[in-house]
Amino acid sequence: MVTTNGVHEDASPKTEKKGRGFRIPEKTAHLTFEDDYEGAEVWVRLNVSFGEFLKIQQTNTEEDYGEMAQRFGDVMLVSWNLENDDGSPIPADADGMMAIPVEFATMIVNEWVAATTGIPDPLGEGSDGLNTLAEASTVLDG
C-alpha cells in the first residue's frame, strides 16, 4: 500500500538524519516434509533481493540445475538437520545441496518459491474442474 499526505515542496530524502532509515527485517521460513522426508527440517531465507530471486528462476528455466542448487545453497539456505548415512551432518550450503537427492532438492526449492512468493507450485492444481467462468457460475447459482 502506498500512502501520501499531500504535496511537499521538497520531496527529496533528508540525508542529515542518520540512523532513521528503514531496515528490512530478515525473514525465514521453516520447511517440514511428509512421507519419505518426514522429520527433515530446513530453514530458508525469504526476503532475498528481487535480482537474486530472478537469477534462481532463470537458472531453473534454463534447466541449469547445478547452478540453481549452488546459488540456492549459497544464498537462500540458512540451516537444516540433514545427515549422511554415517550420522555426520550434511553442510547447509551449496555443497550440501549438491549432495542430497535431486527429488528432495527440488522439493526444497519449490517450497521456498511458494513461501517467498505466496504462490503455490505448480500454479494449475486444485481447481476442482472449474476451468471456465461458465462452470464457476453454475456452482455459484446452485
Side-chain angles (χ1 to χ4, degrees):
M1 176 193 319
V2 176
T3 59
T4 61
N5 58 353
V7 177
H8 299 280
E9 276 187 40
D10 181 12
S12 62
K14 305 292 185 220
T15 56
E16 63 270 4
K17 294 180 183 177
K18 299 286 185 195
R20 306 247 328 151
F22 177 77
R23 290 190 181 185
I24 298 172
E26 180 70 24
K27 291 185 179 183
T28 60
H30 177 211
L31 308 178
T32 57
F33 303 88
E34 298 175 353
D35 300 325
D36 291 342
Y37 300 103
E38 186 169 350
E41 298 181 53
V42 178
W43 287 264
V44 292
R45 194 168 280 106
L46 290 180
N47 59 333
V48 298
S49 71
F50 191 61
E52 193 62 46
F53 178 80
L54 292 177
K55 288 176 189 174
I56 291 277
Q57 293 290 74
Q58 181 179 5
T59 57
N60 187 32
T61 57
E62 293 173 355
E63 297 184 0
D64 188 354
Y65 301 123
E67 173 66 24
M68 180 182 65
Q70 290 279 325
R71 184 168 231 96
F72 186 87
D74 284 341
V75 179
M76 273 49 90
L77 194 56
V78 175
S79 66
W80 58 23
N81 67 344
L82 307 182
E83 298 177 347
N84 289 307
D85 290 338
D86 65 2
S88 63
I90 299 173
D93 58 16
D95 292 336
M97 282 296 291
M98 297 300 283
I100 63 175
V102 67
E103 173 191 39
F104 190 41
T106 302
M107 289 172 68
I108 292 170
V109 172
N110 286 341
E111 289 298 317
W112 171 79
V113 168
T116 302
T117 62
I119 301 171
D121 188 49
L123 296 175
E125 292 184 0
S127 68
D128 294 330
L130 300 177
N131 295 326
T132 67
L133 184 58
E135 290 172 333
S137 67
T138 61
V139 171
L140 295 174
D141 290 340

